[in-house]
Amino acid sequence: MRRFLPAIVLLALFLLCFFAPAIEHLLNISSNETDLANRFAPAAGNHLLGTDELGRDIFVRLLYGGQVSLTAALAAGLASAFIGTSVGMAAGYLGGKWDAILMRLTDLLIALPSLPLLIILSALDLQKLGFSADIANSPRVSLYKIIALISILSWTTVARLARARTLTLRQMDFVRAARALGVGDFRIVLRHIFPNLMNTVVVATALAVGNIILMESVLSFLGLGIQPPLPSWGNMLTHAEETIWEHARLSVYPGMMIFVTVLAFNFLGDALQQTLDPKGTGK
Amino acid sequence: MNILGRTVQALLTLLAVSFLVYILIGLMPGDPVDLMAAGNPHMTPADLARLRAEYGLDQPLLARYGRWLIAALHGDLGYSRSYNLPVFEVIGPRAAHTVVLFGTALLITVALALPMGVYAARFPGGIADRMINFFCLAGVSLPHFWLGLLLICLFAVTLGWLPAATTLSEGSLWAQAKSLALPVITLVVAELAVYVRHLRAAMLEALRADHIRTARAKGCSESRIVWRHAFQNALTPALTVFMLDLGTIIGGAVTVETIFGFPGMGKLLFDAVNGNDYNLAVADLLILTCFVVVANFAADGLYVVLDPRVSLAGKK
C-alpha cells in the first residue's frame, strides 16, 4: 500500500488538474476573471481558497496552473528520456570515437551550472530564430520554450545510465547471438538492448520529472518561464515577495502544490526502483 | 587521466561554453545599437550603421567571437551597459559576497551532514535512518525559493527577528551577520539533503566491504571501524557524486540570492538578463562555470590525498 501511495497522490492530482474546466463550471467561477472589488478575499462560498491580488479564484487557478506545470514537466521528462536514451545507447553500442564524443558532450553539460544557463537561455528572442512577433510573445509559446530548454539540459543522467547498461548488454550472449545471426545494428539496439534498459530509464525519468518541475517553477517564479496570464505554480508565486507581508496565504498554496508533486514523483521513483530495478543498476 | 589531459579538458570545457554562450547572445532581443536607437529617437539609419561598424557588429559572428575571445584572454570581458563600468569591476565585489554566502553555507552543511549521513548508514532501517531518509526526500523536493519565502514569512514577518533583505558592507558586523542568516539557513536546509543522501549511500557501501567484517571479527572498536575503516573509503565516492551535483547546487544559490536581494553573482546574472546587459551576463555565467570546472579540478587533486590508491599520473 505504501508503495502505491505516491502513484495514487499523483493520479488524484492529474485528475483534479485535467478536470479543472468541469470543476470551474461546477463552482460557477471563471479562472481568468479579475474582480478588483474582491481582492485578497478569504476562503468563503465558491472561493474554496479565497482570491488573489487580482481577485481571481486561487483554487481554480491552482488547478489550471497544475495543468501547465504538469504538462511542462511530463513533456520535458519524456523528451529528455528520449534524447538521453538515444545518446546513451548510441555511445554505448557504437563505442570508440562516437562514445568519446558523445560522453565528452554529456560531461560538458553536467559541468554547467544549469540554472544560471537556463536564465540566460530563457532570454532568447524567438523572433531572431525566424518566428513572428505574435508567436514569439504568446504565453502558450513560453510553455513550449521552457519545455524545449529544460529538455536540452536534463537528459544527461539518463544518457549516462543508458550508456552504462548498453555497455553491459552488448557483451551478453543474446546480443552476440543476434549479431551472429546477421541482425542489423539498428534492430539489435531497438529490439534487444532497448527493452532491457527500459526499467533503468523509467526510474531515472521519474526522478528527473521531480527536478524538472522544480526548474520550471523557479524560472516561472523569476518571470522568465511561463508567462501570465497562463498560470503555473511557479508564476503564481511571482508577486509573493510583496504580498507575503500581509497575505502569506497566497505564497503558501502554490509552493505546497510544487512540494507535494515533486515529493510524490521522488517517492514514485524510489518505489519504481525497488520494484523494477532492485539490484540498483540505475543508481 | 593525467594532469595534462585534465587541464586540457578543463580548458576545452571553458572554451566550448564561452563559444556557446557567445552564439546565444546573438539571439538575445536587441543588440546594443538597437537599444541605443530605442533610447534616442534622433538617430538616423546612417548613424546606426556607423555605430554597428564601430562596435564591429556588422562582422560575421565567428569573427566577432574571435575578437571577443582574444580580448577576454587579455582580461577584458567588455563593458557593462547598465553599470557603466568594466564587467570585472562589477562582478568582483559580488563574487566575494557569493563566496562568503556559499562558503558559510557549505561549512555548516558539511558539519551537519557528516554525523547525519554516517549515523543513518550505521543503523540502516532504524528510526533515525527512516527519519533522515524522509527529511532528505523532502529536502530535495522543496523548491529553494519557496523555502526562502516561508522562512521570510516566519522569521521576518511573523517573529520579526531577522531582516528579509541582505545588506552587506553597511551597518555593524552583527547586523551584517544577521542579514546573512536567512539566506544561509535557506541554503543549508535545501542542500543538506543532497549531501546526506550521497554520504549515506557511500557509507552503506563502505560498511558492506569484507574488511569491515574482518575488523569486527578481530574485535576492533566500533568507532575505529566507522571512522577509520569505512569513512575514509566512503569519502571518495561521496565526493565524486557531490561534484556531479555542484552545477545544480550553484544554481540553487542563484535563486536564494534573488529572493533575499543578496548582492551576489546570481542576483547579478538575473538583473543583467532582465536589463539586456549581455556582456555582464556572459561574463557572470563564465565565471560561475569556471568555478565548477576549477572545483572539479581541485577534487581530482583531493582524491589523491583521500585515497592513496589513486594517482594523478596513471589511470584511476
Side-chain angles (χ1 to χ4, degrees):
Chain A
M1 180 58 207
R2 277 188 53 195
R3 217 175 248 200
F4 294 113
L5 191 63
I8 293 171
V9 169
L10 283 175
L11 195 66
L13 259 174
F14 272 84
L15 286 178
L16 263 178
C17 290
F18 286 91
F19 278 103
I23 294 169
E24 195 181 7
H25 189 72
L26 207 71
L27 291 169
N28 201 15
I29 307 173
S30 167
S31 67
N32 268 325
E33 190 186 308
T34 55
D35 178 5
L36 294 179
N38 196 22
R39 301 165 69 210
F40 302 114
N46 279 348
H47 295 300
L48 293 182
L49 294 175
T51 60
D52 67 1
E53 72 270 17
L54 294 174
R56 295 170 296 192
D57 182 76
I58 295 179
F59 179 68
V60 172
R61 270 180 68 78
L62 275 181
L63 298 186
Y64 275 103
Q67 267 187 23
V68 173
S69 295
L70 289 171
T71 311
L74 288 184
L78 284 179
S80 52
F82 178 75
I83 304 176
T85 318
S86 315
V87 170
M89 288 195 308
Y93 190 79
L94 297 173
K97 74 169 186 283
W98 282 108
D99 186 26
I101 293 173
L102 289 174
M103 282 302 114
R104 283 295 86 76
L105 182 72
T106 314
D107 287 345
L108 177 76
L109 271 184
I110 289 178
L112 294 181
S114 49
L115 194 66
L117 187 63
L118 274 174
I119 288 180
I120 287 199
L121 284 173
S122 64
L124 282 190
D125 188 356
L126 290 180
Q127 284 182 49
K128 293 208 174 172
L129 287 173
F131 292 95
S132 75
D134 287 353
I135 296 181
N137 297 324
S138 78
R140 214 9 91 182
V141 168
S142 69
L143 171 63
Y144 303 145
K145 189 165 134 187
I146 203 91
I147 293 174
L149 291 181
I150 293 182
S151 320
I152 293 175
L153 288 183
S154 51
W155 52 267
T156 48
T157 319
V158 177
R160 290 168 69 96
L161 296 174
R163 171 179 174 269
R165 282 293 287 157
T166 310
L167 282 179
T168 330
L169 288 168
R170 62 178 287 208
Q171 300 297 333
M172 289 192 154
D173 286 343
F174 67 92
V175 173
R176 287 162 60 181
R179 202 175 300 137
L181 282 171
V183 181
D185 282 342
F186 192 72
R187 197 179 156 83
I188 290 183
V189 169
L190 211 60
R191 299 295 294 269
H192 297 268
I193 292 184
F194 178 66
N196 283 299
L197 53 78
M198 268 276 282
N199 288 352
T200 315
V201 171
V202 168
V203 171
T205 306
L207 293 172
V209 168
N211 253 328
I212 290 173
I213 295 180
L214 288 180
M215 277 198 242
E216 180 272 316
S217 66
V218 176
L219 285 176
S220 301
F221 164 72
L222 292 174
L224 300 166
I226 291 163
Q227 299 299 323
L230 198 66
S232 91
W233 290 334
N235 75 22
M236 287 176 77
L237 286 166
T238 303
H239 299 292
E241 269 164 297
E242 290 114 55
T243 55
I244 197 166
W245 298 92
E246 279 161 26
H247 306 281
R249 210 162 36 87
L250 251 59
S251 30
V252 171
Y253 298 131
M256 205 66 200
M257 296 298 276
I258 301 172
F259 177 53
V260 169
T261 314
V262 178
L263 192 65
F265 269 110
N266 282 336
F267 269 115
L268 182 73
D270 270 16
L272 281 174
Q273 179 136 45
Q274 282 160 24
T275 319
L276 297 176
D277 190 18
K279 275 182 247 156
T281 48
K283 270 229 163 147
Chain B
M1 209 181 289
N2 57 30
I3 278 193
L4 190 69
R6 273 289 185 198
T7 318
V8 171
Q9 202 190 338
L11 290 177
L12 277 180
T13 307
L14 286 177
L15 196 67
V17 173
S18 72
F19 182 67
L20 186 81
V21 174
Y22 197 85
I23 299 289
L24 289 173
I25 296 298
L27 298 171
M28 299 287 172
D31 64 29
V33 177
D34 283 340
L35 292 166
M36 275 183 217
N40 182 355
H42 297 299
M43 279 192 179
T44 61
D47 288 335
L48 294 183
R50 193 175 46 76
L51 274 173
R52 284 222 161 80
E54 193 165 310
Y55 284 101
L57 289 170
D58 53 348
Q59 287 168 16
L61 202 57
L62 260 179
R64 273 155 62 193
Y65 172 69
R67 280 207 343 209
W68 176 86
L69 184 66
I70 291 170
L73 289 176
H74 285 92
D76 172 17
L77 281 168
Y79 217 67
S80 155
R81 253 171 27 80
S82 44
Y83 292 86
N84 282 323
L85 280 173
V87 162
F88 260 125
E89 283 177 34
V90 182
I91 294 184
R94 282 150 217 272
H97 290 164
T98 296
V99 169
V100 170
L101 171 68
F102 200 71
T104 321
L106 186 77
L107 280 182
I108 300 178
T109 317
V110 169
L112 289 173
L114 284 183
M116 280 172 76
V118 170
Y119 192 82
R122 266 187 77 186
F123 306 104
I127 297 177
D129 181 39
R130 291 221 299 265
M131 272 165 61
I132 290 175
N133 232 339
F134 183 81
F135 166 81
C136 286
L137 267 175
V140 292
S141 311
L142 207 59
H144 293 190
F145 68 94
W146 187 58
L147 176 67
L149 286 172
L150 289 185
L151 288 174
I152 291 182
C153 199
L154 177 65
F155 287 109
V157 181
T158 314
L159 297 172
W161 288 353
L162 297 165
T166 320
T167 44
L168 284 180
S169 64
E170 31 184 293
S172 67
L173 204 62
W174 173 237
Q176 284 182 36
K178 252 171 73 171
S179 78
L180 201 60
L182 276 184
V184 168
I185 296 175
T186 312
L187 265 182
V188 168
V189 175
E191 309 296 4
L192 187 58
V194 184
Y195 293 47
V196 172
R197 258 174 99 107
H198 291 336
L199 194 66
R200 175 179 176 275
M203 232 3 230
L204 269 181
E205 192 66 37
L207 279 170
R208 222 177 279 145
D210 285 338
H211 70 269
I212 300 292
R213 198 179 314 139
T214 312
R216 284 228 167 84
K218 72 175 188 182
C220 198
S221 79
E222 190 64 24
S223 73
R224 193 177 156 82
I225 291 177
V226 169
W227 293 107
R228 179 112 190 113
H229 293 264
F231 184 69
Q232 282 202 354
N233 281 318
L235 266 182
T236 315
L239 190 64
T240 308
V241 273
F242 173 73
M243 281 298 156
L244 283 178
D245 268 346
L246 195 63
T248 321
I249 289 177
I250 288 182
V254 173
T255 14
V256 170
E257 284 186 4
T258 341
I259 292 164
F260 292 100
F262 184 88
M265 292 188 69
K267 175 92 165 56
L268 187 68
L269 178 75
F270 175 68
D271 291 342
V273 168
N274 272 343
N276 294 336
D277 192 349
Y278 298 120
N279 267 345
L280 189 58
V282 175
D284 193 300
L285 181 69
L286 272 182
I287 291 175
L288 286 176
T289 314
C290 256
F291 182 69
V292 179
V293 172
V294 170
N296 270 304
F297 201 71
D300 283 339
L302 209 56
Y303 289 139
V304 186
V305 182
L306 291 177
D307 188 345
R309 285 167 300 186
V310 179
S311 122
L312 277 182
K315 282 206 158 167
K316 249 198 261 184

